[in-house]
Amino acid sequence: VRLLATALLCISAASAADPVPTPYASIRAILQQLAPPELKSADAQAFAKWSRAKDQAIRARLEQGDLDSMVNLLLFGTAFTTQPRMTINNLGAETRAGLLRARLDDLLKALNNPGTNERLVFLRALLTSKGHPPSAASTGQFILDNLQRVLKEKVAINERIDAAKDSSNVFSERGVSLDTTILPNYGVDTALRDLKERKLLPSVTRAAIVGPGLDFIDKESGFDYYPQQTLQPFALFDSLKRLDLGTPRITILDISPRVLDHIKSARSRTSYTIQLPRNSTAQWTPAALDYWRNFGNAAAQEVEAMPTPANLPNVATRAVRFPVPTLDATDLNIVDQQLALETTEKFDLVIATNILVYYGPFEQALALANISAMLKSGGFLLTNDRLPEVPSLPIRLLNLTNVVYSEQPTVGDSIYWYRRD
Ligand SMILES: C[S@@+](CC[C@H](N)C(=O)[O-])C[C@H]1O[C@@H](n2cnc3c(N)ncnc32)[C@H](O)[C@@H]1O
């Protein structure tokens, strides 16, 4: 009887929504098509072993992403210093003029006394865990070494993009960052509008966001004066409501404990306020501006925005307060895992922007296998990465929506629509 009770307990503990490893049968053909030579003929056991090691390697990249965010804070943050922000194109001259040194000194001082500034508290713990507490003589050099690494990587990435004439694979060894902005949500909003117009997506009762991110420091504009926030779950809720496509339960899938903890703490609140600062000198298109002006107007309420710091000029801002939608948050690595969902629990829509770019074609194909397994028949994946064609999977690229965010320089996205057969 005890044995039976234990077995029953185990069964009920593994609820339908627990992450499970990618089933071997679903990716066998992907191994043949895209795996590195040593894995092409892997059996289920060898693939499972590779997959576990991959999961660890991917999660380890989060720390490097955090160190990249530290570099962005050093160059562009405004909350810990009264010095002006640095500019990527004038970095050499500004460094010779002493700006980098002054900002580094201010950052170290602030890290020694972080108060309640959550970005500084986090970086202080990160640096200390790496053996470089802010009070140590070596820490300034450690931060500068990371700056140098990030700059070298930037050059290497640009060279690889120029050489390859496309960006696939170029981010596959970089740190995984959490950074996020409002703009990809404008892209997704536009794609949803297109899907609705073509009557391809009648309604959304269950949606998932893979990797919603956390707004630590905006590297274009240097915004770090308000509490960290996540945008994508609220943006999606707002878009779907505005388009009359439903008010779904939204499942967050992410590997970052910081993102998952943030979502879990948001879930326990009755409302969630989002600050929407915008660099008013950036030449956003009229349609992108319109999206910014109307962000939240379907699902949230306009509230007073936090004042912007004096050393952050040219900022237009607003703020909106959302009711908290029904949110689940699950630790899941989309390259290696999927949720075991009953047919009725599967998603009508999965959003994955600025995440699959971190992976090469083989890992992207595995992620596509996992996403397709969680989608309802006829459901859509919207992503701003063009993924490899995988004939063995029951999901196809149907079309795309091109969006332009700003003119001069032209910045935009293609949002690809993948539909589950
Ligand atoms: C750069 S942020 C993108 C944020 C947001 N989607 C956007 O477009 O602004 C990448 C996000 O993906 C998550 N992520 C990266 N690799 C992942 C993986 N293999 N599985 C699940 N989440 C992942 C990161 O933790 C982070 O939340």
Side-chain angles (χ1 to χ4, degrees), residues 176-180 211-213 232 254 332-334 353-355 359:
V176 171
S177 114
L178 307 189
D179 290 341
T180 183
Q232 207 147 36
D254 206 300
L332 180 142
N333 184 340
I334 202 64
T353 58
N354 301 313
I355 155 179
Y359 303 102

Side-chain angles (χ1 to χ4, degrees), residues 210-354:
V210 190
L214 197 59
D215 178 2
F216 187 83
I217 168 91
D218 176 333
K219 52 184 179 290
E220 311 301 331
S221 310
F223 300 136
D224 65 334
Y225 67 89
Y226 49 83
Q228 290 182 95
Q229 58 188 20
T230 188
L231 288 131
Q232 207 147 36
F234 298 93
L236 179 64
F237 188 61
D238 191 46
S239 291
L240 291 173
K241 202 154 177 210
R242 186 176 306 112
L243 292 168
D244 214 10
L245 287 173
T247 49
R249 174 170 161 186
I250 299 176
T251 298
I252 305 301
L253 305 172
D254 206 300
I255 50 172
S256 160
R258 285 163 65 210
V259 170
L260 294 167
D261 288 349
H262 185 89
I263 300 280
K264 284 176 191 158
S265 104
R267 223 170 33 179
S268 63
R269 295 189 226 156
T270 50
S271 66
Y272 187 95
T273 300
I274 295 187
Q275 303 294 323
L276 295 164
R278 177 176 65 76
N279 176 354
S280 55
T281 63
Q283 308 210 348
W284 287 16
T285 57
L289 273 178
D290 234 35
Y291 177 76
W292 175 79
R293 273 191 212 105
N294 290 307
F295 184 95
N297 75 357
Q301 183 194 347
E302 193 88 23
V303 291
E304 200 176 324
M306 286 175 70
T308 52
N311 55 347
L312 195 54
N314 306 318
V315 179
T317 187
R318 47 186 297 258
V320 287
R321 184 190 295 142
F322 279 87
V324 178
T326 311
L327 290 174
D328 309 314
T330 302
D331 181 332
L332 180 142
N333 184 340
I334 202 64
V335 174
D336 297 298
Q337 295 172 302
Q338 54 186 247
L339 293 178
L341 299 172
E342 301 291 342
T343 310
T344 53
E345 295 176 310
K346 291 193 176 187
F347 302 118
D348 305 285
L349 177 67
V350 173
I351 307 291
T353 58
N354 301 313

Side-chain angles (χ1 to χ4, degrees), residues 181-194 232 239 288 291 351 353 382-384 400-405 412-417:
T181 71
I182 190 175
L183 289 171
N185 300 304
Y186 163 51
V188 168
D189 184 83
T190 314
L192 286 171
R193 216 169 274 274
D194 284 352
Q232 207 147 36
S239 291
Y291 177 76
I351 307 291
T353 58
L382 296 180
T383 173
N384 57 349
L400 78 163
T401 297
N402 285 313
V403 270
V404 182
Y405 300 145
D413 255 331
S414 295
I415 307 288
Y416 298 92
W417 322 347

Side-chain angles (χ1 to χ4, degrees), residues 377-390:
S377 171
F380 279 91
L381 159 68
L382 296 180
T383 173
N384 57 349
D385 282 297
R386 186 169 185 147
L387 306 174
E389 308 263 324
V390 189

